[in-house]
Amino acid sequence: MVTETLLHFVWKYKLFDTGKLRTQAGEPISILQSGIHNFDAGPDFLNARIKIGNTIWAGHVELHINDSDWEQHGHHRDSAYDTVVLHVVYNDPKKMITNQKGETIPTLVLRDYLEDAVLERYNFLMQSKAWIPCESFLPKLNPVVLSNFRERLLIERLEGKNNHIQALLNQTKNDWEQVTYQMLARYFGSSVNREAFESLAQSLPISVLSKYQGDAIKIEALLFGQSGLLDSELLDEYPRQLRTEFNYLKRLHQLTPLHPYGFKFLRLRPSNFPTLRLAQLAALLAEDTKLFSKIINTSSMAALHRLFDVKPGSYWHNHYLFDKPSEKVKWHIGKDMKNTLLINVVAPLLFCYGKYKDEEAYCDRAMALLEAASAERNSIIDGWQTLGVDCMNAAQTQSMIQLKKEYCDKHKCLHCAVGISLLKHT
Ligand code: SF4
């Protein structure tokens, strides 16, 4: 199976026998410069230099699987293609092609010069059902290829998160504090309750919570009441007090609580129960509701870590759930959770703000933060480790997540430095 993407790839890297090329009419061809790959409208490679016979031509190159694509795409009527000096096709052409001036364009049939090994490896990569298509070739890969690619992958990962934050900013009329709070809430929900926590933060604006900064009870009442988790029969004095507070605040701020069924407890470790996570989030917000300002004004890594050193109210020192006392409750925000928040909330916000303000220093801080943060543990990182790819910090784990999700899973091997290297060195 040969695609135009593959043709572009072999043309760009000259992965064919360039010594004996001839046009369809039999004239010898030398590729002096294959041109600049054009991803916009117009010919595929711009400003190439091709010697055909004794003449050196400067112009563009267009590639197709079949020569009939030239007319099907309307290039014979398009002046943008008047300066195409070579038409490269894979299959044998059926007829001469011309530009809109009626001039004949020389054709090169690439099929005659392609190396079988390149095609075989390409087809293998495209059809492989392995965890990553190239895994059987990885042991032969020069490790420098992957380590050089990682920085680009990390930037791409942060760019993707930047787009997500931009969308949130659009929804909130550029309210950075609301967006920060929504993102934090999402990650306090851990993987099971992410959507529920995010819905909670959307339905209970930071502007309401900020009126009660410093008042941990009211902040807790608002978060628990709005989540619907105070809607059941409650025995302990403390949750009943929260409910009384919330009933007043609900009327005052015209709040409509969520359905409590969105919050799941099943199969979760108690330290991930939404009740304890909400208590921790409440403690964080009670200390300061201007968390975005705090993040961008904190330059030391240690201080960013300390941001999450908060202590929920004393009820949560011996409860994971309302009305059910427990011993040895791990009420603090643990090391892994802090790491998750730094990687998924703090670093992306710093990067996004740097882009927004066009101040690279914030982007650099985001990168430095990821380099200082611990490597994540998840199924993707475990998979890479099985293949012998180790990650030393969060910058590396984030880059490998990007590679797996955006390249390997989509079979985008021709756009990946590893794939390029594997195909160039067949
Ligand atoms: S995208 Fe790159 S790393 Fe992933 S399978 Fe293809 S060649 Fe390998």
Side-chain angles (χ1 to χ4, degrees):
M1 183 188 65
V2 174
T3 60
E4 270 192 21
T5 312
L6 177 64
L7 279 190
H8 290 184
F9 182 84
V10 296
W11 176 261
K12 186 171 179 173
Y13 296 104
K14 294 192 196 165
L15 300 183
F16 47 91
D17 186 356
T18 53
K20 304 174 201 153
L21 300 176
R22 285 191 176 268
T23 65
Q24 195 204 358
E27 287 192 280
I29 304 180
S30 300
I31 304 166
L32 307 179
Q33 282 168 13
S34 34
I36 299 157
H37 202 169
N38 175 29
F39 296 96
D40 297 321
D44 296 321
F45 286 83
L46 306 177
N47 306 324
R49 278 165 56 80
I50 312 286
K51 187 175 178 192
I52 302 175
N54 292 321
T55 308
I56 294 175
W57 297 88
H60 311 323
V61 176
E62 180 70 5
L63 293 93
H64 289 122
I65 299 294
N66 298 305
D67 66 333
S68 56
D69 295 336
W70 177 267
E71 287 191 3
Q72 266 174 25
H73 298 173
H75 300 334
H76 63 306
R77 290 192 301 264
D78 187 343
S79 60
Y81 290 79
D82 282 354
T83 43
V84 168
V85 294
L86 186 65
H87 187 215
V88 180
V89 295
Y90 179 70
N91 290 319
D92 284 335
K94 301 271 187 301
K95 62 175 196 177
M96 305 284 255
I97 58 144
T98 53
N99 62 22
Q100 59 128 23
K101 295 178 183 165
E103 296 162 342
T104 301
I105 298 173
T107 298
L108 168 67
V109 184
L110 210 52
R111 178 187 205 141
D112 303 339
Y113 307 99
L114 271 184
E115 292 168 26
D116 288 347
V118 172
L119 280 183
E120 277 165 22
R121 191 165 281 191
Y122 170 74
N123 283 327
F124 178 87
L125 291 174
M126 291 305 109
Q127 286 157 21
S128 169
K129 299 267 188 291
W131 187 71
I132 60 160
C134 74
E135 61 182 48
S136 54
F137 301 112
L138 270 191
K140 292 179 223 140
L141 180 77
N142 181 347
V144 173
V145 173
L146 186 54
S147 58
N148 287 346
F149 190 36
R150 272 176 160 165
E151 190 173 341
R152 190 179 115 196
L153 290 166
L154 177 60
I155 303 272
E156 281 180 14
R157 178 112 181 120
L158 286 166
E159 295 279 6
K161 293 186 178 194
N162 179 39
N163 293 342
H164 174 68
I165 296 173
Q166 285 297 341
L168 292 178
L169 286 167
N170 289 342
Q171 287 164 17
T172 58
K173 299 197 174 69
N174 249 19
D175 187 340
W176 288 86
E177 293 296 350
Q178 174 67 23
V179 168
T180 303
Y181 156 63
Q182 275 179 219
M183 290 175 69
L184 280 168
R186 184 174 167 80
Y187 283 93
F188 267 84
S190 68
S191 53
V192 175
N193 287 304
R194 252 173 218 171
E195 276 70 36
F197 271 62
E198 196 169 26
S199 303
L200 170 64
Q202 283 165 343
S203 69
L204 176 63
I206 195 73
S207 53
V208 170
L209 290 163
S210 64
K211 293 183 195 310
Y212 305 102
Q213 186 174 310
D215 189 335
I217 301 282
K218 284 198 171 58
I219 300 259
E220 249 188 63
L222 280 164
L223 286 172
F224 277 104
Q226 186 62 14
S227 69
L229 291 168
L230 299 175
D231 279 354
S232 54
E233 193 187 339
L234 296 166
L235 303 174
D236 283 353
E237 177 58 29
Y238 182 65
R240 290 158 75 95
Q241 182 194 350
L242 292 181
R243 185 159 59 197
T244 307
E245 285 283 1
F246 180 66
N247 285 340
Y248 168 73
L249 294 169
K250 179 174 70 171
R251 280 194 299 278
L252 185 66
H253 298 290
Q254 297 176 338
L255 298 171
T256 308
L258 302 177
H259 209 291
Y261 295 153
F263 294 84
K264 305 206 168 38
F265 293 80
L266 207 65
R267 286 192 283 278
L268 282 178
R269 280 185 304 202
S271 55
N272 278 330
F273 279 177
T275 33
L276 181 62
R277 290 297 185 205
L278 278 181
Q280 292 167 338
L281 181 60
L284 182 65
L285 294 167
E287 227 169 69
D288 198 341
T289 47
K290 298 236 173 323
L291 287 164
F292 174 71
S293 310
K294 216 166 169 178
I295 287 169
I296 59 162
N297 291 316
T298 304
S299 52
S300 116
M301 296 293 149
L304 280 173
H305 272 86
R306 283 199 300 276
L307 204 66
F308 302 110
D309 283 339
V310 290
K311 193 171 180 180
S314 58
Y315 184 82
W316 299 105
H317 297 186
N318 55 2
H319 287 83
Y320 285 111
L321 295 164
F322 289 129
D323 299 339
K324 292 206 172 133
S326 301
E327 285 182 0
K328 294 186 185 161
V329 170
K330 293 181 184 160
W331 50 262
H332 59 284
I333 299 177
K335 209 160 62 107
D336 288 351
M337 177 70 172
K338 277 187 198 170
N339 209 41
T340 298
L341 295 171
L342 291 171
I343 294 167
N344 294 294
V345 181
V346 177
L349 277 168
L350 284 169
F351 186 83
C352 184
Y353 191 64
K355 291 262 160 195
Y356 175 78
K357 298 284 282 182
D358 200 15
E359 286 185 28
E360 251 179 54
Y362 289 106
C363 300
D364 292 345
R365 270 170 59 195
M367 307 281 271
L369 178 59
L370 291 173
E371 274 160 23
S374 306
E376 297 148 275
R377 288 300 309 270
N378 55 45
S379 59
I380 293 181
I381 300 309
D382 290 348
W384 283 114
Q385 199 171 28
T386 309
L387 296 177
V389 181
D390 291 323
C391 293
M392 309 311 289
N393 55 44
Q396 294 187 354
T397 49
Q398 286 288 295
S399 65
M400 296 315 288
I401 292 169
Q402 179 74 4
L403 179 55
K404 173 75 168 86
K405 286 188 172 174
E406 299 301 324
Y407 289 82
C408 308
D409 290 355
K410 297 176 180 173
H411 286 256
K412 284 173 74 178
C413 304
L414 295 182
H415 302 274
C416 157
V418 175
I420 293 168
S421 173
L422 292 176
L423 286 162
K424 277 169 84 175
H425 304 108
T426 46

